[in-house]
Amino acid sequence: MNPNVWVLVVDDEPQLLRALRINLNARGFIVTTAATGAEALSAAARTNPHVVVLDLGLPDIDGLTVLEGLRGWTNVPVIVLSARTDAADKVAALDAGADDYVTKPFGMEEFLARLRAAVRRGAASADVSEVPVVDAGTFVVDLSAKSVTRDGAAVHLTPTEWGILEILVRNEGKLVGQKEILHAVWGPTYVTQTNYLRVYLASLRRKLEDDPTHPQHLLTEAGMGYRFVR
């Protein structure tokens, strides 16, 4: 398996998180862990993983809500890992956008096989649909390298600035709601803090737009959200 494959594991059981981290690291994966839904959404926006392993029974928000939050801006493969064995739970997770459903307890080798399959599906989908480099004219966004250049020079963005920019760029031309961005970057407890977005969008425009007061690429839809256009 490619040693650069990044896995986000979300579960509130410390022993399971540790076991998965050890097993995945031993097989060459890069692993980020989260114990709550808010941490999961923040980590996903920050690291843009190749695959997410998601428990449904999280202490702050339900795993299905996390899944819906992810699906608002990314098609990353998601494997649900849950003690819920009822068919209705499986159907609900798959309908919400999960790629696979593994019930606890599970065998590690079977889980790893499902993980590898999800990574392959994600890579095949990315090869067909993702444009990793987006040239806006004024600046260039490399989604794969997680980097931005302007006039050939690297632009330093904070993790939060990158998280916002990536969501907008991946939804090019589409209106992305304020709550959707806040939920993905900061977590569900911040969905009313629209002042955060005003501050960070102003910072992004200063770094990327020719005329920050009259932006051409990072546009505001008053009272609704933001839109990226080339």
Side-chain angles (χ1 to χ4, degrees), residues 83-106:
R84 303 177 188 177
T85 59
D86 191 274
D89 290 314
K90 296 180 181 180
V91 170
L94 294 170
D95 282 347
D99 296 85
D100 202 350
Y101 194 106
V102 178
T103 55
K104 301 176 183 177
F106 57 89

Side-chain angles (χ1 to χ4, degrees), residues 190-204:
Y190 291 85
V191 293
T192 61
Q193 304 298 323
T194 55
N195 58 305
Y196 282 31
L197 288 178
R198 287 193 292 272
V199 170
Y200 278 95
L201 261 297
S203 177
L204 280 169

Side-chain angles (χ1 to χ4, degrees), residues 142-161:
D142 189 327
L143 294 168
S144 296
K146 297 182 182 293
S147 65
V148 182
T149 55
R150 182 177 179 183
D151 298 327
V155 178
H156 173 72
L157 299 183
T158 67
T160 299
E161 288 171 341

Side-chain angles (χ1 to χ4, degrees), residues 34-43 58 60-61 66 183-190:
T36 68
E39 289 177 9
L41 290 167
S42 177
L58 299 172
D60 55 343
I61 52 179
V66 175
H183 197 288
V185 178
W186 281 277
T189 59
Y190 291 85

Side-chain angles (χ1 to χ4, degrees), residues 105-176:
F106 57 89
M108 186 59 68
E109 292 306 319
E110 179 187 354
F111 167 74
L112 290 168
R114 289 172 180 256
L115 183 73
R116 290 190 293 268
V119 171
R120 287 194 297 271
R121 288 195 300 271
S125 175
D127 288 343
V128 172
S129 63
E130 183 177 27
V131 180
V133 178
V134 178
D135 189 345
T138 306
F139 56 92
V140 177
V141 181
D142 189 327
L143 294 168
S144 296
K146 297 182 182 293
S147 65
V148 182
T149 55
R150 182 177 179 183
D151 298 327
V155 178
H156 173 72
L157 299 183
T158 67
T160 299
E161 288 171 341
W162 171 258
I164 295 170
L165 181 65
E166 182 178 26
I167 291 172
L168 294 177
V169 170
R170 287 185 182 276
N171 288 276
E172 180 179 354
K174 300 176 183 177
L175 174 67
V176 185

